Amino acid sequence: MKPPPAREPRTDVLVVGAGVAGLTAALEAARTRRVVLVTKTALGDGSTPHAQGGVAAPTGRADVPAHVADTLAAGAGLSSPAAVEALCAAGPAAVRVLAERGVDFDRGRDGGWALGLEAAHSTARVLHAGGDRTGAAISRALAAAVRRSDVTVHEDTFLLGLLTDGGPEGGTVTGAEFLTGAGAALRVHADAVVLATGGAGQLFSRTTNPAVATADGLAAAFRAGALVADLEFFQFHPTVAATAEPFLVSEAVRGEGAVLLDAAGDRFMPGVDPRAELAPRDVVARALVGAMAAHGGAPALLDARGVSAALGRPFAERFPSIARMCARVGLDPETDPIPVTPAAHYWMGGVRTDATGRTSLPGLWAAGEVACSGVHGANRLASNSLLEALVAGGAVAADTAGGPGPATFDDTVPETVTDVAAPAPPVAAHVGRRELQAALWEHAGLVRDAAGLAVAEKILTPQEDPVDLPATDPGVPRSAREDANLVLAGRLLVAAATARRESLGAHSRSDHPTTPHRPVRRSFRRTA
Ligand code: SIN
């Protein structure tokens, strides 16, 4: 039977993705323009509702310079100072807007917002809601606001690719093509397309990310010819429960005094870094891997038994979700140290954007984890992701009003661009998801070397001519389209990690331990 013709609506702004960045962009743009929002799951799904720790935001002007300094220090010299300054300065207003939209941030005894401490922050500045249910509270409020608004929403609708006018060097992006859950083609034409599709934790066997984090937006942008950058920098969260059902144990737990022990019960972080358990995430994750290796691979332990005494209230009141997930696997954080190992958590790299969220392709903007705005550099500061998604969502909404124009990339960090020959249409994955995840975990994970990266490259490179994935054929399972995106993203990550023969932030090369004096950003672009 012939499939029905594609529906081809036209709008002012098309937003793809419905986490905090996409929801914010849609709400802000809808103040003055027609907005269509498309997501492959449901409004508010994605990584946002899984965020436990909170939103880092200077709650007073006086804290802005220190938040800037902490963010730059974590970024290890690869962050763009102007982007970081803009992010931190926008923090107070961004969280006020969230509160106006109904997010009920937790309050302290004095009635003011309660501020948590997390790793590599020089002061307590992390706002949280529902204890450790911050992301869920934000998602709920923003999704409800979108449902009340004039935004046209398409859920369960998968991004196939971007539409362009066929001009030189990728041309101008004019819309995007999708396949609905019912198998119908949808082509949305728009003056501005905003990618807010999140990250790609599904590249790795162990991840805190939900199943939907499969690099769909990054792959579509790269295929269309957009610059992508910093792909070698993938953050691994140190404390994910090493239990039958792994779950994130927020850094905020260490912020409230929990300590890390090796399998023999000895605390190891003070010997690694003067900030001990509150050293930057990359430092803690690598130390944890070292402590595990010294004990035959046995997980380390997060000892939170002193947290209630420090807080003056039960652990479960401050961290209700974590307490519930511990209970499910028979652990009580009041009495039992929690076995933990690192897991893939956040991709600092992504579609290269300038301060307004413009990409290298006119007509295409990106916000949130799919973007590489230069804010996070080589290692993101804890709880800066929700802040960035909020601020960037608002910034792209404002900028799209001016219509397509060239991006102005910050050149404070020198940048090299490498052309990669790759096909424009998606091609079928030649490896299964588990094999791909195992290869990246094993050979392109926390610590890498040339030999391992070469093995990963071999696994991810098809040995035979690739087979195109038919664009709108509803018979192709969605997982096959996701696998195609993951293979492309994995190959780019491995290429970036291979090319960077030095160690910096989250990118650690055992064969090149030296840290560069002046880091260079590495970007990739597809050539036909
Ligand atoms: C956490 O709560 O530890 C995760 C928050 C983040 O990734 O910033």
Side-chain angles (χ1 to χ4, degrees):
M1 203 172 65
K2 242 173 95 180
R7 285 180 52 213
E8 305 222 11
R10 223 217 110 78
T11 187
D12 298 323
V13 181
L14 166 63
V15 177
V16 191
V20 64
L23 294 170
T24 304
L27 283 169
E28 294 300 327
R31 290 180 193 274
T32 53
R33 284 159 291 155
R34 291 173 304 162
V35 178
V36 171
L37 185 152
V38 183
T39 172
K40 77 169 172 177
T41 53
L43 276 194
D45 273 1
S47 293
T48 299
H50 298 264
Q52 294 176 350
V55 190
T59 45
R61 289 269 142 217
D63 186 31
V64 171
H67 190 194
V68 169
D70 293 347
T71 302
L72 290 172
L78 202 71
S79 302
S80 153
V84 173
E85 278 158 25
L87 173 77
C88 299
V95 294
R96 269 198 306 277
V97 170
L98 269 189
E100 281 159 22
R101 290 201 161 122
V103 178
D104 197 7
F105 288 114
D106 296 335
R107 292 182 181 272
R109 287 201 182 92
D110 63 358
W113 282 337
L115 300 176
L117 180 66
E118 290 188 21
H121 286 272
S122 54
T123 187
R125 62 165 77 88
V126 180
L127 282 83
H128 45 88
D132 56 5
R133 291 177 292 210
T134 315
I138 294 174
S139 290
R140 240 189 346 264
L142 294 180
V146 167
R147 289 199 195 286
R148 288 192 302 269
S149 75
D150 293 333
V151 173
T152 304
V153 176
H154 297 271
E155 294 173 303
D156 188 23
T157 297
F158 188 82
L159 173 67
L160 296 171
L162 298 171
L163 303 172
T164 66
D165 65 3
E169 294 178 17
T172 295
V173 173
T174 57
E177 190 172 26
F178 303 90
L179 198 59
T180 70
L186 172 70
R187 223 167 277 142
V188 184
H189 302 273
D191 295 337
V193 177
V194 177
L195 280 181
T197 46
Q202 292 301 323
L203 283 168
F204 295 92
S205 325
R206 288 184 60 78
T207 181
T208 61
N209 290 190
V212 293
T214 54
D216 306 326
L218 178 113
F222 178 77
R223 289 190 190 107
L227 267 185
V228 294
D230 291 355
L231 300 182
E232 62 274 47
F233 299 104
F234 210 111
Q235 182 171 79
F236 293 81
H237 197 291
T239 54
V240 175
T243 52
E245 284 176 57
F247 54 88
L248 178 67
V249 185
S250 175
E251 196 151 83
V253 176
R254 276 175 283 135
E256 300 291 6
V259 295
L260 285 164
L261 310 176
D262 62 20
D266 294 322
R267 195 172 166 204
F268 55 90
M269 278 312 300
V272 175
D273 189 287
R275 293 159 290 184
E277 280 79 6
L278 295 182
R281 226 169 245 183
D282 59 323
V283 175
V284 180
R286 277 194 296 273
L288 207 139
V289 165
M292 286 171 61
H295 290 86
L301 298 164
L302 182 67
D303 185 353
R305 289 174 293 184
V307 166
S308 320
L311 283 169
R313 59 188 170 126
F315 181 95
E317 257 183 36
R318 170 68 178 86
F319 299 111
S321 310
I322 298 169
R324 204 182 48 249
M325 289 186 281
C326 282
R328 244 193 247 157
V329 293
L331 290 169
D332 177 359
E334 301 279 5
T335 51
D336 305 313
I338 306 164
V340 287
T341 67
H345 185 58
Y346 186 92
W347 208 353
M348 275 72 75
V351 183
R352 183 84 172 94
T353 63
D354 70 6
T356 59
R358 290 183 200 187
T359 72
S360 62
L361 298 181
L364 182 67
W365 284 255
E369 190 172 349
V370 69
C372 174
S373 65
V375 158
H376 304 306
N379 181 39
R380 174 174 66 79
L381 185 67
S383 287
N384 263 359
S385 52
L386 286 179
L387 180 66
E388 194 216 7
L390 278 172
V391 171
V396 294
D399 194 65
T400 51
T408 315
F409 297 120
D410 173 52
D411 58 4
T412 323
V413 176
E415 184 161 348
T416 63
V417 177
T418 305
D419 289 329
V420 181
V427 293
H430 64 286
V431 281
R433 175 104 43 120
R434 278 184 198 281
E435 196 188 344
L436 168 130
Q437 291 172 330
L440 286 162
W441 178 258
E442 187 70 23
H443 303 297
L446 267 119
V447 182
R448 302 142 174 193
D449 64 23
L453 289 165
V455 173
E457 194 204 334
K458 187 147 185 243
I459 294 170
L460 297 187
T461 307
Q463 301 303 310
E464 286 166 16
D465 282 348
V467 179
D468 284 0
L469 268 184
T472 50
D473 180 350
V476 176
R478 192 176 278 189
S479 61
R481 299 190 189 282
E482 292 176 333
D483 286 347
N485 293 338
L486 286 170
V487 171
L488 174 59
R491 290 183 69 183
L492 290 168
L493 185 155
V494 169
T498 304
R500 190 173 289 280
R501 291 190 198 90
E502 60 198 13
S503 292
L504 186 70
H507 171 69
S508 176
R509 289 277 303 250
S510 58
D511 52 348
H512 292 285
T514 317
T515 298
H517 177 60
R518 188 152 188 237
V520 173
R521 167 160 293 120
R522 203 174 292 283
S523 300
F524 292 91
R525 180 174 45 203
R526 187 187 75 79
T527 54

